[in-house]
Amino acid sequence: MSTEGATADPLAALGALPGVADSVESVRKAVDRVYGHRVMRRRSNAITSEAALRGARGSAALSGADWALEEVRRRTDFSGDDEARTVGAALRLTAEAGQLLSIWRQSPLRVLARLHLVAAADKGDQVGRPRKEGEPVDEPLIGLPLPSASEAHGRLDGLAGLIIAGGSAPALVTAAVVHGELLALRPFTSHNGLVARTAERIVLVGSGLDPKSVCAAEVGHAELGRDAYLEALGGYVSGTPEGVAAWIAHCGSAVELGARESMAVCEALQRGAA
């Protein structure tokens, strides 16, 4: 994220980019439709649980483990191969996210370190901390140039400072920037994509936009497809106003699709079909 010409509230300034306000409004309407459904008044916990499962499946798919939803639902052992471990990591992160909401605004770096620890699920010395200079990054599906460890650390500190300072930026803008920065920086030696998408979810939930976590952006990102995801990310990394706005709009479309998915679940529950 370029800070050239930064204002006191650079995240809020991004909300003024062409088309971003429309994306913010469209997302708000989509989320409100879900929360207005009668099933949400009676069975919101069921919608939250289903959104968590579907979100984890979507995030894993973007990291190369594109399993059918029913396969994710029925499996209990996720230790077999790389794909199984990726799905298991996505499920663990989704479960962990809700426990970290109260910490995020005070210590986002602590939350990110915890998310990496949960995703990696081992006690290696590269786990739960940003990478050091010279350490390789296992993120083969993201082919963007990798910033140096020192640049990654500096930008990560800057991002954390913006989150702690707060501001008036719409939740969608903040979530998209957190997501985009983590993918651009790849601050950990592995699992950066899974961590980035979980952080996006934490922002959307913690901001109050989606307090019950029923509009899983990961569902929408997966539905839009990996090619579109990486193309939009490339626009964000370019730092141009058009590229950043396109990434925010892409994230907005993902949230809307996640909301649509939960609307479908609400309708199915209402019909007694699920």
Side-chain angles (χ1 to χ4, degrees):
M1 178 181 61
S2 173
T3 57
E4 210 171 302
T7 66
D9 191 351
L11 292 179
L14 296 180
L17 291 174
V20 170
D22 290 341
S23 293
V24 169
E25 180 62 19
S26 185
V27 165
R28 166 55 68 188
K29 289 179 179 177
V31 173
D32 285 349
R33 281 194 291 272
V34 178
Y35 279 82
H37 198 286
R38 66 176 62 186
V39 169
M40 281 294 294
R41 292 194 290 272
R42 297 181 285 109
R43 301 188 63 182
S44 64
N45 288 344
I47 307 302
T48 297
S49 295
E50 187 64 20
L53 183 71
R54 295 179 185 221
R57 191 218 73 81
S59 190
L62 288 168
S63 286
D66 193 359
W67 287 15
L69 180 63
E70 291 311 312
E71 177 67 8
V72 178
R73 199 189 301 280
R74 75 168 188 84
R75 285 283 286 267
T76 56
D77 181 7
F78 297 96
S79 62
D81 55 22
D82 286 346
E83 285 198 5
R85 286 190 287 273
T86 296
V87 175
L91 288 167
R92 290 192 301 273
L93 285 172
T94 299
E96 186 73 12
Q99 310 301 314
L100 299 172
L101 291 170
S102 63
I103 305 171
W104 173 255
R105 285 294 296 271
Q106 287 74 41
S107 185
L109 296 183
R110 179 180 162 198
V111 169
L112 293 174
R114 174 63 186 170
L115 292 176
H116 186 245
L117 183 67
V118 169
D122 66 43
K123 300 185 185 301
D125 62 3
Q126 296 179 338
V127 171
R129 61 157 177 80
R131 58 186 167 89
K132 298 177 181 177
E133 216 65 68
E135 289 182 332
V137 174
D138 181 14
E139 207 76 41
L141 299 179
I142 299 177
L144 296 167
L146 183 70
S148 68
S150 60
E151 179 183 351
H153 290 185
R155 285 174 60 179
L156 202 59
D157 285 343
L159 179 64
L162 291 176
I163 293 165
I164 293 168
S168 59
L172 172 64
V173 172
T174 303
V177 168
V178 167
H179 186 169
E181 279 292 283
L182 292 174
L183 287 176
L185 298 177
R186 281 147 289 164
F188 302 107
T189 57
S190 65
H191 300 91
N192 291 285
L194 294 174
V195 168
R197 290 184 288 275
T198 305
E200 178 185 47
R201 174 182 283 248
I202 287 172
V203 174
L204 293 171
V205 175
S207 68
L209 175 65
D210 179 22
K212 295 184 183 295
S213 193
V214 297
C215 302
E218 305 97 316
V219 169
H221 285 304
E223 186 171 336
L224 291 166
R226 190 183 299 153
D227 289 346
Y229 184 68
L230 295 177
E231 181 180 352
L233 176 62
Y236 176 83
V237 171
S238 75
T240 65
E242 297 81 8
V244 174
W247 169 250
I248 294 170
H250 185 86
C251 291
S253 295
V255 177
E256 290 185 59
L257 288 169
R260 188 180 71 179
E261 184 95 348
S262 284
M263 277 291 287
V265 174
C266 286
E267 292 293 327
L269 286 172
Q270 185 167 280
R271 294 192 304 268

